[in-house]
Coordinates of all heavy atoms in Angstrom, one line a residue:
I32 N -7.0 93.7 22.0 CA -7.7 92.4 21.9 C -6.7 91.4 22.4 O -5.6 91.2 21.8 CB -8.2 92.2 20.5 CG1 -9.2 93.2 20.1 CG2 -8.8 90.8 20.4 CD1 -9.7 93.2 18.6
P36 N -6.9 82.2 25.4 CA -6.0 81.1 25.9 C -6.3 79.8 25.0 O -7.3 79.7 24.3 CB -6.5 80.9 27.3 CG -7.9 81.5 27.3 CD -7.9 82.5 26.3
R40 N -10.3 70.2 26.6 CA -10.8 69.3 27.6 C -11.0 67.9 26.9 O -11.5 67.8 25.8 CB -12.2 69.7 28.0 CG -13.0 68.7 28.9 CD -14.3 69.2 29.3 NE -14.1 70.0 30.5 CZ -15.1 70.6 31.2 NH1 -16.3 70.5 30.8 NH2 -14.8 71.3 32.3
T69 N 17.5 72.0 23.4 CA 18.9 71.8 23.6 C 19.6 71.5 22.3 O 19.0 71.0 21.3 CB 19.1 70.6 24.6 OG1 18.5 69.4 24.0 CG2 18.5 70.9 25.9
S71 N 21.9 69.2 21.6 CA 22.0 67.8 21.3 C 20.7 67.0 21.2 O 20.8 65.8 21.0 CB 22.9 67.1 22.5 OG 22.2 67.1 23.7
V77 N 11.8 67.3 32.6 CA 11.6 67.1 34.0 C 10.7 68.2 34.6 O 10.9 69.4 34.3 CB 13.0 67.2 34.8 CG1 12.8 67.1 36.3 CG2 13.9 66.1 34.2
A82 N 6.0 73.1 44.3 CA 5.8 74.5 43.9 C 7.2 75.2 44.1 O 7.9 75.0 45.1 CB 4.8 75.2 44.8
W86 N 10.9 73.4 35.6 CA 10.4 72.6 34.5 C 11.5 72.8 33.4 O 11.8 73.9 33.0 CB 9.1 73.2 34.1 CG 8.4 72.5 32.9 CD1 8.6 71.2 32.4 CD2 7.4 73.0 32.1 NE1 7.8 71.0 31.4 CE2 7.0 72.0 31.1 CE3 6.7 74.3 32.0 CZ2 6.1 72.3 30.2 CZ3 5.7 74.5 31.1 CH2 5.4 73.5 30.2
E88 N 14.4 70.8 30.3 CA 14.7 69.7 29.4 C 16.2 69.3 29.7 O 17.0 70.2 30.0 CB 14.6 70.2 28.0 CG 15.0 69.2 26.9 CD 15.0 69.8 25.5 OE1 14.3 70.9 25.3 OE2 15.7 69.3 24.7
G90 N 19.3 67.5 27.7 CA 19.7 67.1 26.3 C 20.4 65.8 26.3 O 20.8 65.3 27.4
E94 N 23.2 68.5 28.8 CA 22.9 69.9 29.1 C 21.5 70.1 29.5 O 20.6 69.3 29.1 CB 23.3 70.8 27.9 CG 22.3 70.7 26.7 CD 22.6 69.6 25.7 OE1 23.1 68.5 26.2 OE2 22.3 69.7 24.6
E95 N 21.2 71.2 30.3 CA 19.8 71.5 30.7 C 19.4 72.8 30.1 O 20.2 73.7 30.0 CB 19.8 71.5 32.2 CG 20.1 70.2 32.9 CD 20.1 70.2 34.4 OE1 19.8 71.3 35.0 OE2 20.3 69.2 35.0
V103 N 2.1 75.6 40.9 CA 1.2 74.8 41.8 C 1.5 73.4 41.5 O 1.4 73.0 40.3 CB -0.3 75.2 41.6 CG1 -1.1 74.3 42.5 CG2 -0.5 76.7 41.8
L112 N 2.1 75.4 35.7 CA 3.5 75.7 35.3 C 3.6 77.0 34.6 O 2.7 77.5 33.9 CB 3.9 74.6 34.3 CG 3.7 73.1 34.7 CD1 3.9 72.2 33.6 CD2 4.7 72.8 35.8
I116 N 9.0 80.1 27.5 CA 9.7 79.9 26.2 C 9.0 80.9 25.2 O 7.8 80.9 25.1 CB 9.5 78.5 25.7 CG1 10.2 77.5 26.7 CG2 10.2 78.4 24.3 CD1 9.8 76.1 26.4
W120 N 11.2 80.4 20.5 CA 11.6 79.1 21.1 C 12.9 79.2 21.9 O 13.7 78.4 21.8 CB 11.6 78.0 20.1 CG 10.3 78.1 19.3 CD1 10.2 78.4 18.0 CD2 9.0 77.9 19.7 NE1 8.9 78.4 17.6 CE2 8.1 78.2 18.6 CE3 8.4 77.6 21.0 CZ2 6.7 78.1 18.7 CZ3 7.0 77.6 21.1 CH2 6.2 77.8 20.0
V130 N 0.5 77.4 32.1 CA -0.1 76.2 31.7 C -0.7 75.6 33.0 O 0.0 75.3 33.9 CB 0.9 75.2 31.1 CG1 0.2 73.9 30.8 CG2 1.5 75.8 29.8
S138 N -14.3 58.3 37.0 CA -14.4 56.9 37.6 C -13.0 56.5 38.0 O -12.1 57.2 37.9 CB -15.0 55.9 36.6 OG -14.0 55.6 35.6
R149 N -2.5 80.0 29.2 CA -3.1 81.3 29.2 C -2.0 82.4 29.3 O -0.8 82.0 29.4 CB -4.0 81.4 30.4 CG -3.4 81.2 31.8 CD -4.4 81.2 32.9 NE -3.8 80.8 34.1 CZ -4.3 79.8 34.9 NH1 -5.3 79.2 34.5 NH2 -3.7 79.5 36.0
T163 N -1.0 80.4 17.5 CA -1.4 79.5 16.3 C -0.5 78.3 16.3 O -0.9 77.2 16.1 CB -1.2 80.3 15.0 OG1 -2.2 81.4 15.0 CG2 -1.5 79.4 13.8
A167 N -1.6 74.3 17.2 CA -1.6 73.4 16.1 C -1.4 71.9 16.4 O -1.0 71.6 17.5 CB -0.6 73.9 15.1
G169 N 1.0 70.2 15.7 CA 2.4 70.0 16.1 C 2.7 70.6 17.5 O 3.8 70.5 18.0
L174 N 0.5 67.0 21.1 CA 1.2 66.6 22.3 C 0.2 66.0 23.3 O 0.4 65.0 23.9 CB 1.9 67.8 22.9 CG 3.2 68.2 22.2 CD1 3.7 69.5 22.7 CD2 4.3 67.1 22.3
R184 N -2.3 53.7 28.7 CA -1.6 52.4 28.6 C -1.5 51.6 29.9 O -1.1 50.4 29.9 CB -0.1 52.6 28.1 CG -0.1 53.0 26.6 CD 1.4 53.2 26.2 NE 1.4 53.7 24.9 CZ 2.5 54.1 24.3 NH1 3.7 54.0 24.9 NH2 2.5 54.5 23.0

Side-chain angles (χ1 to χ4, degrees):
I32 298 172
R40 173 179 276 181
T69 59
S71 66
V77 177
W86 180 21
E88 174 187 342
E94 74 274 33
E95 296 180 358
V103 176
L112 306 166
I116 301 169
W120 313 112
V130 172
S138 71
R149 60 184 173 236
T163 298
L174 287 165
R184 290 183 185 171

